[in-house]
Amino acid sequence: MGRVFLVQIEGKSYRCKCCSSPLAVADDILSRTFSCGHGTAYLFNNAVNVTVGPGEERVMLSGTHTVADIYCCNCGQILGWKYMKAQDKSQKYKEGKFVLERWRISEGDGSNSNNNNNNNLDLESYPNNISSDEDAH
């Protein structure tokens, strides 16, 4: 396995509880009222430093969706899921969005003090080398 380079984010953010890798900015939260098997979860417009697993159909509280589990790209911890496709028209707004289970993440301030590796990328330093396509994360 090669070296992992992490995208760093500024401001109030959410991080992997296992390794403190940055995952999402607080401004990208769309909802704090989602549910998962272990309590609450947050719906985010975007997430970084995650690996998206294979899609599968799941029957959820809001109907049948095609979802893919998402994992921390640094430590491999499962974090939640990504909505790939919604069957019901009223649920289409979830497509392409990320759900992070609250018990698997912690709040951070955007500083890199908890992350003791040198494998970090600053998005502003590499604007032409990093894809903004969310499926590439």
Side-chain angles (χ1 to χ4, degrees), residues 104-118:
R104 297 187 187 268
I105 60 174
S106 59
E107 290 185 44
D109 62 3
S111 71
N112 200 20
S113 59
N114 293 333
N115 201 353
N116 294 325
N117 66 42
N118 294 321

Side-chain angles (χ1 to χ4, degrees), residues 81-96:
W81 63 91
K82 179 180 180 179
Y83 284 102
M84 308 300 278
K85 183 174 170 128
Q87 303 298 324
D88 190 291
K89 287 182 182 182
S90 69
Q91 300 297 308
K92 293 285 187 187
Y93 75 96
K94 295 178 183 176
E95 290 181 355

Side-chain angles (χ1 to χ4, degrees), residues 48-114:
V48 297
N49 300 321
V50 297
T51 302
V52 180
E56 64 182 27
E57 277 199 5
R58 291 187 196 158
V59 177
M60 305 181 113
L61 293 174
S62 58
T64 302
H65 301 275
T66 302
V67 298
D69 287 333
I70 56 173
Y71 305 86
C72 176
C73 72
N74 191 41
C75 71
Q77 174 66 45
I78 187 167
L79 299 167
W81 63 91
K82 179 180 180 179
Y83 284 102
M84 308 300 278
K85 183 174 170 128
Q87 303 298 324
D88 190 291
K89 287 182 182 182
S90 69
Q91 300 297 308
K92 293 285 187 187
Y93 75 96
K94 295 178 183 176
E95 290 181 355
K97 307 299 188 278
F98 297 83
V99 174
L100 297 177
E101 296 180 9
R102 189 63 188 102
W103 73 284
R104 297 187 187 268
I105 60 174
S106 59
E107 290 185 44
D109 62 3
S111 71
N112 200 20
S113 59
N114 293 333

